[in-house]
Amino acid sequence: KKKAFGCEIWMSKKVGSIYTEPEMLDLGVKSAGTDTFQINRGQPTVSKDDAMMIFTSNQKGGLGGKDLWMVRLDRDGRPMGTPSNLGPEINTKVDDKFPFLRANGNLYFSSDGHCGMGGLDIFMAERTGDNVWGHVENMKSPVNSGGDDLAISFDNDDSATLAIGFGC
């Protein structure tokens, strides 16, 4: 009961009309943490070409809280190499999470460390190079509010869906 349990990212492939058994993706450091610290990974988003995944984690090497991390994917959708932190342009000392990659390569995420309207706000970072993002911009109202604005996603790059949370 006293052991902390973390989250991991799992994958299942669709073969015909059925899905394969889920398997945990190997993202480096295992989640077997101590009673006081547990690695959590979640909220994955995959690039349009399926070659890269961005996810949220509190793993070692971050800037604080939860950070956004990137890893390249092989043809089967499995991670290749060690995940890299997206750095101080994106990540802050507190939580940065709920990433979404738009088809044009721009990255959307929520943060309570970048200057915002209150709680978690949704930000957009422009793709500035090969798997590099910068020019972080607050999406402001009506996307953001004084509460926690968690996530945004785009369907077929036309219409947006927002997830808004109201903090207690």
Side-chain angles (χ1 to χ4, degrees):
K1 287 185 176 182
K2 293 182 180 183
K3 183 174 174 148
F5 291 95
C7 298
E8 287 291 349
I9 299 172
W10 292 66
M11 174 182 81
S12 180
K13 290 192 155 271
K14 188 173 184 180
V15 179
S17 62
I18 61 170
Y19 286 89
T20 61
E21 279 294 313
E23 62 181 270
M24 187 173 73
L25 295 182
D26 182 2
L27 293 166
V29 179
K30 300 297 180 206
S31 281
T34 66
D35 289 342
T36 57
F37 179 76
Q38 182 65 43
I39 296 172
N40 287 292
R41 296 184 185 98
Q43 305 158 4
T45 183
V46 177
S47 61
K48 183 178 179 182
D49 63 2
D50 295 328
M52 182 256 304
M53 176 176 69
I54 294 177
F55 61 95
T56 303
S57 181
N58 65 337
Q59 65 194 40
K60 187 176 180 180
L63 301 178
K66 293 179 178 71
D67 282 358
L68 300 185
W69 295 77
M70 181 204 68
V71 67
R72 293 192 182 278
L73 302 174
D74 67 17
R75 289 177 170 245
D76 292 323
R78 290 178 180 78
M80 298 187 311
T82 304
S84 58
N85 187 284
L86 292 190
E89 180 85 21
I90 304 297
N91 293 311
T92 65
K93 292 186 278 186
V94 289
D95 288 341
D96 306 288
K97 48 192 181 176
F98 299 108
F100 180 83
L101 278 169
R102 199 163 182 185
N104 66 4
N106 288 343
L107 173 65
Y108 293 79
F109 64 100
S110 65
S111 175
D112 55 4
H114 289 281
C115 186
M117 297 176 65
L120 288 165
D121 275 3
I122 297 172
F123 294 84
M124 189 274 295
E126 180 182 320
R127 183 176 178 188
T128 58
D130 186 27
N131 299 327
V132 178
W133 294 268
H135 312 292
V136 174
E137 176 184 339
N138 186 300
M139 297 300 294
K140 300 183 180 167
S141 180
V143 173
N144 289 314
S145 67
D148 283 330
D149 307 298
L150 304 179
I152 189 168
S153 63
F154 295 85
D155 183 29
N156 295 324
D157 237 8
D158 292 324
S159 59
T161 303
L162 291 170
I164 300 171
F166 297 97
C168 38

